[in-house]
Amino acid sequence: MRPGPRAARAAALLAALALHAPAFAAWDVAALMALLRAHPPGRAHFDETKTVSILDRPLESSGELVFTPPARLEKHVTSPGDERVVADGERLVIERAGRRRVISLAEHPEVAVLIDSIRGTLAGDRAALERAYRLELSGDAKAWRLVLTPREEALQALVAKVTLEGSQARVQRVEIEQADGDRSLMQIRPEKR
């Protein structure tokens, strides 16, 4: 049975619309990275819970995150104590209790890869992420989840996966699951104006 002229016109119209649908309608890793790259986050507040197997209870902290693209990420813990950790390029500076320690990330690749998972996501730098991780995106622009799974055995011995969740260009949650079962969960909310 052949479709009538009305059904044929409707099918042709639908096919034409599908061919000319705007590119932004697609939701994939490239679309997420473009969105994040176009809207860097700046300042935000965080609450973090770290679960460590050798401790009786989780460690909780809160403070402020500041990201300056492409490679400066500052974490200022204001509670329960005062600590500042700044990753800037290949250097990590830790300030705590009046002491300052500078670490070369090139000499500590296990630390660098975790920092780069966050910096790479915030900067929308897919190439940087894919050097160390396989990327799996689910959801849509309003509620997305990006799972980073280590590519190499050496990293797999340290990190099981990093899961980032967000909405549009906002990263709202970062969970790092270590290979030994320890984990950290950071909830991120925009700075109130």
Side-chain angles (χ1 to χ4, degrees), residues 95-118:
E95 296 175 355
R96 178 186 314 138
R99 293 187 172 167
R100 184 173 197 256
R101 183 173 174 205
V102 179
I103 297 170
S104 165
L105 290 175
E107 294 173 9
H108 296 277
E110 70 283 359
V111 175
V113 76
L114 288 173
I115 290 170
D116 288 343
S117 69
I118 298 169

Side-chain angles (χ1 to χ4, degrees), residues 8-89:
R9 279 195 302 265
L13 179 61
L14 286 174
L17 287 174
L19 288 174
H20 298 293
F24 64 83
W27 182 249
D28 57 12
V29 172
L32 174 61
M33 293 295 118
L35 186 62
L36 292 167
R37 202 171 33 255
H39 303 283
R43 294 180 180 274
H45 293 281
F46 74 88
D47 295 300
E48 185 174 34
T49 303
K50 292 182 182 180
T51 305
V52 182
S53 61
I54 61 169
L55 300 177
D56 293 335
R57 56 189 165 144
L59 299 171
E60 295 185 357
S61 62
S62 61
E64 181 182 50
L65 290 174
V66 180
F67 178 65
T68 307
R72 183 178 167 84
L73 179 62
E74 180 178 344
K75 178 181 176 186
H76 182 197
V77 176
T78 56
S79 175
D82 188 53
E83 176 183 80
R84 188 176 305 270
V85 179
V86 180
D88 194 0

Side-chain angles (χ1 to χ4, degrees), residues 110 113-114 117 132-136 146-164 175-184:
E110 70 283 359
V113 76
L114 288 173
S117 69
Y133 298 100
R134 284 185 299 282
L135 313 182
E136 181 183 327
L146 181 63
V147 178
L148 311 178
T149 308
R151 290 184 179 277
E152 296 182 17
E153 254 183 68
L155 184 54
Q156 290 169 5
L158 300 169
V159 181
K161 67 180 174 180
V162 178
T163 304
L164 301 107
E175 183 173 14
I176 299 172
E177 296 179 43
Q178 294 178 234
D180 64 4
D182 292 351
R183 67 179 52 216
S184 69

